[in-house]
Amino acid sequence: MKLISLSAVAVLVFAAFVSAQPATTRPTTQPSIDPVADQILRQSCEFLAQTKAFSVHAEAWKDEVLPSGHKIQVTRSEDLEVRRPDRLHVEERAHHKGRSIWYDGKTVTLMDRERTTYGVADAPATVDQVLDVLAQDYGVTVPLEDLAVADPYAGAMRNVTAGGYFGDEPVLGVPCRHIGFSTDRIDWQLWIADGEQPLPQKLVITYKNEEQSPQYIAILSKWSLTGRASDLAFEFIPPRGSQRVALTRQNERDKESAWANHESDHR
Amino acid sequence: MNPTTDKRFALCRPSPLALAFVGLIGLATANATADQGRGSIRSAARPAARSQPSRPEPARAEPSRGEPARAEPSRAQPERPQPQRDVRQEPQRGPTASRDWDHGDEDTRHFGGYDRAVPEHIERGQRFRQLPDRHFDISWNNQHYFWDYGDGFYLPQPDGEYIVVQPPVGVIVPELPDGATAIAYGPTTYYYLDGTFYVAAPNGFAVVSPPAGIVIPDLPDGAAQVIINGSVVYQLNGLNFTPTLDGGVTAYTVTPS
């Protein structure tokens, strides 16, 4: 009963704080984070950071808001395989589609499994760096990348303005502790297993500034903390019939736009 | 009479309900950036990248119905739909971010199967004895054409049949064909479908030549694979289509051959 009361208070405090914040401005006050929520997250992140190699499976759902105003949900599965600090393998599948990433410490390979095309680029020295390069240089965001970085706590808490602990709830039968945090752009919730291995079991991200506040929901399962640590898991072997193509860098796209601007000015 | 082609037209006849569904799904191609950075908390802290254009609302005015099974093309002008607004003035919707690796989803290659709503595809060079019931008459450079509101552009033949051709540059169609993908390039928003590029024009959408360097999501039908300097390139109608991985999704850069 005491736990429930504390949770209710935390929810109210969290909701009051979040509702008091303008959606598009950075708060000038210190973040209001429930220390219990912070502690739960910190324990999970420290446990994850100390895990040298792991793999996890996720079933994920994401909302799409059509210009007509209809909100639909699409489904995909994601598999993440990490060996710290410099190995990463990601597989993402949906109906007729598939995307893969291999990072072996020296190069990163992206593959479009639908078209069996792949591109290879030189890569920096760590998983953290390659995730940033993929996002900033190649326009590729890796789902669940928060689990793969060296310091998951720092990555998750960046720009957080509020946080709360919402009590205990099971996820697929696993007793979990439910926490939630807020930034200017997103609200995110995490269900973390309550036990010796405090691993995330569910993630919900709400894009609250977007029309109809679409969500990304992932149920995580099949955690393996030994992982397939062999180098082979992170090495790309081109499938028969696949084509190597160039990877378009985002700044090249910007140059093209600039070129087009120039051309249009002289027509 | 070719039963196959007749069946095609029968299948393609749009009901109001089907049009509404196609409209709903077709519009989904516009929101090609709605998924940016999904599934990552860290990505929310990264600066937002450039935005993609949205597809304009297609006009859904019902055209007049032509007479079925005509041997000769009708010269009667159907009711012309109202001109579209300038699409560049359409408000942007959705987030502003760059294309994501799973963002085949939100264009015509959407995970959710949006491409199923694209009307049945017609290949250039196909011949038909009948026009689809729903068609539009277009005259250009002293030549008469018929357009089926999709990617079918028909040229009447002396034998009374109709052959599907590439829409000539300069032609203006009253509305965008279903399935056209919006592509921003410099100050201009192009709309692309199966090798044909459109831009907004006062009375509809004009067929134009693509600017060198524009990136398209799909190859046009009939593009032939060649090897240039050891790399795969596709060619059609004097254009090269070079495959690249753009945002983790296969796309094709268009340049003159």
Side-chain angles (χ1 to χ4, degrees), chain A residues 62-70 72 74-76 78 90-101 110-112 114-119 128 131-132 135-136 138-146 149 155-159 183 185-186 188 190 203 205 207 210-211 214-216 243-250 253-254 256-261 264 267, chain B residues 23-25 27-31 33-50 52 54-55 57 92-116 183-188 190 211-215 217-219 225 231-232 234 242-253:
Chain A
K62 59 173 184 170
D63 291 335
E64 300 291 348
V65 180
L66 306 182
S68 59
H70 292 75
I72 63 167
V74 296
T75 309
R76 52 186 151 148
E78 291 154 5
V90 181
E91 293 284 348
E92 184 169 15
R93 298 179 189 85
H95 190 54
H96 294 316
K97 305 288 177 183
R99 305 280 189 272
S100 307
I101 297 173
L110 292 174
M111 182 163 196
D112 176 348
E114 180 195 12
R115 312 268 175 125
T116 61
T117 54
Y118 67 93
D128 289 35
L131 290 171
D132 288 338
Q136 292 160 10
Y138 298 106
V140 172
T141 300
V142 177
L144 304 175
E145 64 173 328
D146 306 284
V149 297
M157 293 300 282
R158 193 183 306 169
N159 298 339
T183 74
R185 294 172 63 180
I186 61 171
W188 54 274
L190 207 55
L203 169 67
I205 303 174
Y207 298 86
E210 297 179 17
E211 193 175 349
Q215 289 187 316
Y216 170 91
Q243 294 175 5
R244 179 170 177 169
V245 301
L247 290 172
T248 301
R249 298 176 71 97
Q250 297 305 294
R253 294 294 300 275
D254 295 340
E256 289 165 3
S257 292
W259 176 86
N261 274 304
S264 65
R267 275 175 197 154
Chain B
L24 168 68
I25 301 301
L27 284 173
T29 62
N31 207 15
T33 58
D35 185 36
Q36 294 311 307
R38 292 289 192 263
S40 166
I41 299 169
R42 290 175 84 235
S43 72
R46 294 186 180 117
R50 70 186 185 282
Q52 289 287 326
S54 59
R55 188 178 189 275
E57 300 269 340
Q92 297 273 333
R93 300 184 68 167
T96 55
S98 65
R99 200 174 180 191
D100 200 359
W101 75 320
D102 58 355
H103 231 284
D105 279 24
E106 284 65 56
D107 58 21
T108 54
R109 295 167 291 153
H110 197 291
F111 279 139
Y114 291 147
D115 49 351
R116 292 177 201 152
I183 304 171
Y185 197 84
T188 306
Y190 292 84
I214 195 169
V215 178
D218 295 288
L219 279 177
Q225 179 178 311
S231 299
V232 170
Y234 298 87
T242 305
T244 62
L245 274 174
D246 183 18
V249 180
T250 305
Y252 302 88
T253 302

Side-chain angles (χ1 to χ4, degrees), chain B residues 123-156:
Chain B
E123 292 188 5
R124 307 273 152 69
Q126 274 188 274
R127 296 176 71 94
F128 296 97
R129 295 191 65 182
Q130 289 180 247
L131 289 170
D133 283 354
R134 187 173 183 259
H135 65 261
F136 189 84
D137 295 33
I138 293 177
S139 291
W140 175 252
N141 273 354
N142 299 318
Q143 179 61 57
H144 204 71
Y145 298 93
F146 297 92
W147 180 60
D148 68 358
Y149 293 80
D151 62 351
F153 209 79
Y154 303 84
L155 178 65

Side-chain angles (χ1 to χ4, degrees), chain B residues 175-255:
Chain B
E175 61 184 74
L176 275 180
D178 291 324
T181 301
I183 304 171
Y185 197 84
T188 306
T189 298
Y190 292 84
Y191 300 92
Y192 170 78
L193 180 65
D194 192 23
T196 304
F197 294 82
Y198 305 85
V199 296
N203 295 319
F205 294 86
V207 176
V208 296
S209 298
I214 195 169
V215 178
I216 59 173
D218 295 288
L219 279 177
D221 269 350
Q225 179 178 311
V226 298
I227 304 295
I228 298 178
N229 297 329
S231 299
V232 170
V233 175
Y234 298 87
Q235 292 185 327
L236 183 70
N237 293 336
L239 297 173
N240 283 346
F241 301 88
T242 305
T244 62
L245 274 174
D246 183 18
V249 180
T250 305
Y252 302 88
T253 302
V254 183
T255 53

